[in-house]
Amino acid sequence: MVKFAIVGMGHIAKKHIEAIENTEGAVLAAVCDTNPERLTGLPAEVKTYTDLETMLKENEDIAVVNICVPSGLHAKLTNIVANHKRHIIVEKPMALKVEDAEEMIRVAKENGVKLAVVHPNRFRPAIQKLKQKMEEGAFGKLSHANATVRWNRNQAYYDQASWRGTKEFDGGVLMNQAIHDLDLMLWLMGPVESVQAMVTTRLRNIETEDVAAAVVQFKNGALGVIEAATTIYPKNLEESIAIFGEKASVKISGRTANFIETWDIEGVTEEEKAQVIAEINNDPFGKPGHQCIVEDMIQAIREDREPIVTGEDGLAPVKLILAILESAETGRKVTLS
């Protein structure tokens, strides 16, 4: 059995607990949170701690630590865990600064531990089908892509905790909500060359943006359009990713991007198209992405390979988001290094 621990027992920790419980060969051995009130209601065999260092020192058999604290603390805690020679699964965004993310990658490599970043949307059945078609070259020359997040996060959401919506610990709609879709865009389209953007804070009383719009140019010459907002009334409206090429047009959408809205690919018959859509509609959510990441970490340890979603993968959307924010602040096109 591979023993896991979780640090940070807020809302997202529930998904990590379920992922570990549902993964063969994984067991939750300990949890840690500075607030002891969050350490109740757990099975008796799960040890509880309010100090991360103490948990690591007293449990040398813990192999993997899942980091679920506010985003601004990811880098600090990742480095502590890595220096204790434990593997790491860190929630998105992996960090709020490029230099912090780069340090996390460096410290993990120096200590010989594996670092995985939680980008679970990659494992959605419809997204997997789209990725497969792109790898087969079904799109031909790529034209452009579109990533849209039209969601509602009302003021009560941000008022749940003092760190929400702050620049130091949380980030805005790009870092907190749209980062999953930017990860998908980069995973599908490749790296970005440059970006021009505008962001604003229209409706929520927060430090960061609640609406963002950007146009990017990928290194392959294709363009991309990004729209993200938490201001949609009265509830989540749409999350979508669309890819367009000379031989194909595909859009994955819905309130969350789990359903095929458009699947027009050269050489794919209407019958084949209907079969794909029916297959997705029969199981649009598939195995939870957090569970896929936990399972992959166990296999990565056993096979001594990199996780599917690496630290470098986690760094890429952080770089893009910070370039978007820089472009919005300066009013200029920003070229990514």
Side-chain angles (χ1 to χ4, degrees):
M1 300 292 285
V2 176
K3 291 190 175 182
F4 283 75
I6 297 172
V7 54
M9 291 298 290
H11 173 74
I12 199 64
K14 297 175 184 177
K15 290 190 176 182
H16 288 256
I17 292 172
E18 291 173 0
I20 294 165
E21 289 177 342
N22 293 325
T23 297
E24 184 178 352
V27 61
L28 180 61
V31 299
C32 177
D33 197 292
T34 55
N35 182 355
E37 293 180 2
R38 291 182 171 178
L39 300 175
T40 60
L42 294 160
E45 62 271 18
V46 178
K47 299 176 183 178
T48 59
Y49 294 86
T50 56
D51 179 72
L52 175 58
E53 293 269 9
T54 302
M55 182 183 75
L56 295 171
K57 289 175 181 176
E58 292 186 1
N59 298 273
E60 294 186 0
D61 56 348
I62 288 173
V64 185
V65 177
N66 294 27
I67 296 177
C68 304
V69 296
S71 303
L73 297 173
H74 286 177
K76 176 182 177 181
L77 299 194
T78 292
N79 295 341
I80 291 173
V81 173
N83 284 324
H84 279 268
K85 311 295 184 183
R86 317 300 172 87
H87 305 295
I88 301 139
I89 296 175
V90 61
E91 263 294 339
K92 61 76 188 171
M94 68 179 294
L96 299 178
K97 299 177 181 178
V98 169
E99 54 267 32
D100 286 346
E102 291 175 337
E103 184 182 16
M104 292 162 72
I105 294 168
R106 177 182 59 78
V107 173
K109 288 182 177 178
E110 286 178 353
N111 284 281
V113 300
K114 303 184 190 305
L115 172 62
V117 183
V118 178
H119 281 295
N121 294 16
R122 293 188 182 196
F123 301 94
R124 292 174 173 176
I127 298 297
Q128 288 283 313
K129 290 282 187 184
L130 171 55
K131 178 67 170 176
Q132 179 184 346
K133 283 298 180 183
M134 296 195 73
E135 289 181 342
E136 291 172 357
F139 281 72
K141 187 176 182 179
L142 292 169
S143 164
H144 64 292
N146 183 283
T148 301
V149 180
R150 294 169 175 163
W151 281 355
N152 174 277
R153 295 292 184 271
N154 59 23
Q155 192 60 46
Y157 165 85
Y158 292 104
D159 291 343
Q160 289 178 73
S162 59
W163 56 268
R164 288 187 181 272
T166 63
K167 293 180 179 179
E168 183 178 4
F169 293 111
D170 191 25
V173 62
L174 292 169
M175 280 290 190
N176 207 346
Q177 284 80 31
I179 190 168
H180 287 307
D181 304 273
L182 301 188
D183 169 68
L184 291 181
M185 181 180 271
L186 292 166
W187 188 49
L188 296 166
M189 296 290 292
V192 167
E193 177 73 27
S194 62
V195 59
Q196 282 194 297
M198 297 181 73
V199 306
T200 187
T201 309
R202 291 292 296 166
L203 302 182
R204 308 301 176 226
N205 182 26
I206 55 177
E207 289 181 355
T208 51
E209 82 287 345
D210 58 13
V211 181
V215 176
V216 304
Q217 183 169 35
F218 296 94
K219 288 191 175 180
N220 60 21
L223 300 182
V225 178
I226 298 163
E227 176 196 341
T230 54
T231 57
I232 306 304
Y233 177 85
K235 57 188 177 182
N236 290 1
L237 176 65
E238 175 188 4
E239 177 190 30
S240 66
I241 184 85
I243 309 292
F244 304 97
E246 61 180 336
K247 298 180 181 179
S249 296
V250 171
K251 183 179 181 183
I252 312 297
S253 64
R255 286 191 182 177
T256 55
N258 289 90
F259 300 89
I260 294 176
E261 181 177 325
T262 302
W263 191 265
D264 295 323
I265 301 172
E266 186 180 273
V268 174
T269 67
E270 287 299 313
E271 182 180 358
E272 292 169 333
K273 173 181 172 181
Q275 288 176 346
V276 170
I277 293 174
E279 179 184 342
I280 296 302
N281 288 342
N282 185 55
D283 185 19
F285 300 98
K287 184 184 292 184
H290 284 75
Q291 184 178 339
C292 294
I293 289 168
V294 168
E295 290 178 351
D296 175 69
M297 175 59 82
I298 291 175
Q299 290 303 313
I301 293 169
R302 291 174 176 169
E303 298 168 9
D304 193 23
R305 61 165 172 80
E306 284 290 294
I308 287 179
V309 187
T310 65
E312 287 81 3
D313 291 330
L315 171 59
V318 172
K319 278 187 173 181
L320 174 56
I321 289 167
L322 293 174
I324 290 172
L325 296 175
E326 180 184 346
S327 175
E329 183 177 355
T330 63
R332 300 189 182 96
K333 180 169 72 173
V334 172
T335 299
L336 281 77
S337 59

